[in-house]
Amino acid sequence: AAASVGILDVDLCGPSIPRMLRVCRPEVHQCEAGWVPVYTDQQQNLALMSIGFLLEDPDEAVVWRGPKKTALIGQFVRDVAWGELDILLVDTPPGTSDEHLAVVENLRKHKIDGAVLVTTPQAVSTGDVRREITFCKKTGVQILGLIENMSGFVCPHCSECSNIFSKGGGEELAKLTGSEFLGSVPLDPLLTHSLEEGSNFLQAFPESATFSAINNIAQKLLLHMKDG
Amino acid sequence: AAASVGILDVDLCGPSIPRMLRVCRPEVHQCEAGWVPVYTDQQQNLALMSIGFLLEDPDEAVVWRGPKKTALIGQFVRDVAWGELDILLVDTPPGTSDEHLAVVENLRKHKIDGAVLVTTPQAVSTGDVRREITFCKKTGVQILGLIENMSGFVCPHCSECSNIFSKGGGEELAKLTGSEFLGSVPLDPLLTHSLEEGSNFLQAFPESATFSAINNIAQKLLLHMKDG
């Protein structure tokens, strides 16, 4: 049977999961066990919860200060009827602040497998991720690995590769910090388009280099989960 | 005489101004009027302050919760000896949270000219900026205009343009919300490289399309300041 997966989007000021998975503005229902997550499929294998589902108006500005963010994230963990999940994936905003502390504190008793850190290749970005590595060490969260996103662009017209955001910063950071490098995901207009439309990139481009890169990373992570 | 400009970097979890302007790890001194900002030039026309200057270790994770962030931003506005400035530019992280509220509250008595909002072309990004527009309206901050960043990539090998992150979302959002569209900045590996090295892009590439795009935006903003 397919694994049961939950995705919890805690980027309260910039929730992107609803659009990327094409579940904009569904109704969130209550049941006895709490809020019912939104399912993308009939088999209910993929359960989603995001602040994006709870806003009346998608343009509404979430001008909540830290303590209110912390409270909502606690509710998302405790008061959503997730059911039996094999994996809960939490999508955080960048940084090391209220959202990250709230996730770690609320999930500690459920045993956190670890963090997957995503950087772009430039030093400005790897610097931020270095601080996230320090955060994980301080809070006792294992680092499952690093991913380099926006890593090179192959021109569809001439097939030449340009490293628009520099190159190799993710792999270098993994070496420096003793973390596993999980792989690179290239810049790909077809992937951007799929995420804009909320369409299935795997179904549309199963033979693409981009899908292969993403799939390799997912396989490595699944191995970690089985070992862990 | 050149204008006196201050740049205040309030992205406490991801300060990028020190690296982009190549002033990593200077000492911040105290004078009677408070912290002395860091100057990039002998003439002291450009004054900088960033959390990046105050961290002993650049990898240090700023795991400060909202209230502490708010307090530090207050200090940055009140307790830095900015001197007489023509312009104070505040660089915020994305979103509508503690940092943004703290900036608006602390600068209100100095009269805020307005906000410049930066988006990338995709709907996932313009959605976040729509919420920032709502934030500005709620807090009474005028919107000086919108910029579309990462807007198209001209392949250096074949000169064909690819809209890696879709196209036109910034201009469309400006129209929808009645804001001025200030212009687009293309993806440019030479610009990324300059920002990585903290070198002067204007001096190195004064004839480039990218510099021309940035310069046009700056000129429009300066006109706004004179009118305002």
Side-chain angles (χ1 to χ4, degrees), chain A residues 20-21 185-215:
Chain A
M20 288 182 175
L21 294 171
V185 179
L187 285 160
D188 185 341
L190 298 174
L191 179 60
T192 310
H193 185 76
S194 286
L195 294 172
E196 284 282 281
E197 301 289 312
S199 61
N200 191 324
F201 184 73
L202 159 61
Q203 269 171 16
F205 306 103
E207 307 290 328
S208 67
T210 304
F211 173 69
S212 158
I214 295 171
N215 193 38

Side-chain angles (χ1 to χ4, degrees), chain A residues 26-192:
Chain A
E27 278 179 49
V28 170
H29 300 280
Q30 292 267 354
C31 70
E32 265 185 39
W35 284 326
V36 181
V38 174
Y39 293 95
T40 57
D41 56 342
Q42 290 262 311
Q43 292 76 36
Q44 305 206 333
N45 287 323
L46 185 58
L48 309 177
M49 185 50 69
S50 167
I51 182 79
F53 300 150
L54 303 179
L55 301 174
E56 285 281 314
D57 169 2
D59 298 347
E60 202 176 318
V62 178
V63 287
W64 298 354
R65 291 178 179 274
K68 214 172 152 186
K69 284 186 184 173
T70 302
L72 182 66
I73 292 171
Q75 280 191 290
F76 275 164
V77 172
R78 277 189 321 270
D79 302 340
V80 171
W82 289 106
E84 287 292 316
L85 292 180
D86 297 304
I87 294 168
L88 177 65
L89 183 75
V90 183
D91 182 25
T92 75
T96 51
S97 193
D98 294 285
E99 294 87 341
H100 311 83
L101 283 169
V103 167
V104 171
E105 283 165 9
N106 281 288
L107 284 174
R108 201 178 289 282
K109 60 172 169 289
H110 300 284
K111 289 190 184 152
I112 300 172
D113 289 289
V116 179
L117 301 176
V118 183
T119 186
T120 54
Q122 325 92 288
V124 167
S125 170
T126 58
D128 293 354
V129 175
R130 281 173 97 115
R131 285 182 286 272
E132 290 169 3
I133 291 172
T134 309
F135 174 90
C136 288
K137 287 182 179 162
K138 275 190 189 173
T139 53
V141 173
Q142 202 200 324
I143 294 165
L144 298 178
L146 258 77
I147 298 170
E148 184 175 292
N149 196 12
M150 304 197 188
S151 180
F153 171 67
V154 176
C155 178
H157 304 283
C158 72
S159 302
E160 292 278 349
C161 181
S162 295
N163 294 316
I164 300 180
F165 293 113
S166 161
K167 177 81 189 166
E171 191 158 9
E172 201 180 303
L173 180 60
K175 270 188 199 143
L176 262 167
T177 58
S179 312
E180 183 177 347
F181 184 62
L182 295 169
S184 307
V185 179
L187 285 160
D188 185 341
L190 298 174
L191 179 60
T192 310

Side-chain angles (χ1 to χ4, degrees), chain B residues 64-77:
Chain B
W64 298 355
R65 290 178 179 274
K68 214 172 151 184
K69 283 186 183 172
T70 302
L72 183 66
I73 291 171
Q75 280 191 289
F76 275 164
V77 172

Side-chain angles (χ1 to χ4, degrees), chain B residues 190-210:
Chain B
L190 298 174
L191 180 59
T192 310
H193 185 75
S194 287
L195 294 173
E196 284 281 282
E197 302 288 312
S199 60
N200 191 323
F201 184 73
L202 159 60
Q203 270 171 16
F205 306 103
E207 306 291 329
S208 66
T210 304

